[in-house]
Amino acid sequence: MRITPIAVPAALAALLLLTACDSAGGDGDGDGKRESTACSVDTVSMEVGPASVAPAAGDTGEVPVVLTNQSAACTLDGFPKATLVGVSDSATFGVPPAEGAKAQKLTLAKGESASFTLTYERGTRGNGAFNAENLQVELPGDSSGPGVRSFRWTYGPVAHDGQGGHKISVGAYQQAGD
């Protein structure tokens, strides 16, 4: 009979211990990893290029963007928001995700990197092509304010797709490095 009173408190202590572990920042999957906040343009460095530039109209080019986390662990969940800005700043074009691309959730520890790629077809000026001057990048879930980084677009005009859009897309985030 002495064993029963001791076993019940031990079971209760184990249950409380398991509950305490989950409420201390678990991600709800039971794997013990701590949740992280969304990555912010304030806490990551970004580098555009070097690009594989489309040399002539009709050619395809790729522009990689690498993000490196400079702070506490953060998460990239979804697609980056990429916008091309034209000469007058009033003309903009939101870049859609690449056809068939699947967004993935990546958690970056301090110093870790991820990348995504813009793939475009070079157009001819004045032929419905978008004459971009800047590329603006926003991160999904960034609540740090405007959260936009702007980079000079030096890769030529982006071809018109004949359906009201342009021939450019953004790929999913990929883990970079090791």
Side-chain angles (χ1 to χ4, degrees):
M1 291 299 231
R2 291 182 73 177
I3 295 174
T4 302
I6 295 172
V8 172
L12 182 59
L15 180 60
L16 290 173
L17 182 60
L18 288 173
T19 304
C21 287
D22 188 48
S23 67
D27 64 4
D29 293 336
D31 62 7
K33 292 182 182 177
R34 293 197 176 266
E35 289 185 28
S36 62
T37 59
C39 293
S40 161
V41 296
D42 294 337
T43 61
V44 299
S45 63
M46 284 190 213
E47 181 179 333
V48 176
S52 170
V53 178
D59 291 339
T60 300
E62 293 185 335
V63 181
V65 179
V66 178
L67 308 111
T68 302
N69 184 18
Q70 303 296 318
S71 191
C74 66
T75 301
L76 297 167
D77 190 7
F79 284 93
K81 181 178 178 186
T83 304
L84 292 179
V85 180
V87 178
S88 67
D89 280 346
S90 63
T92 62
F93 178 74
V95 179
E99 188 174 318
K102 302 250 188 263
Q104 61 177 325
K105 185 176 182 177
L106 295 178
T107 299
L108 301 178
K110 184 176 183 176
E112 289 185 329
S113 299
S115 66
F116 63 90
T117 301
L118 295 159
T119 303
Y120 74 101
E121 182 180 310
R122 188 171 185 144
T124 304
R125 287 194 187 275
N127 241 2
F130 191 84
N131 296 314
E133 282 205 348
N134 293 300
L135 165 66
Q136 292 181 339
V137 177
E138 297 178 59
L139 303 180
D142 185 354
S143 60
S144 67
V148 176
R149 288 267 177 86
S150 189
F151 302 92
R152 191 93 174 119
W153 181 266
T154 59
Y155 313 111
V158 177
H160 188 267
D161 69 2
Q163 301 172 5
H166 295 86
K167 294 182 178 182
I168 185 168
S169 62
V170 62
Y173 290 110
Q174 302 293 318
Q175 193 80 40
D178 302 308

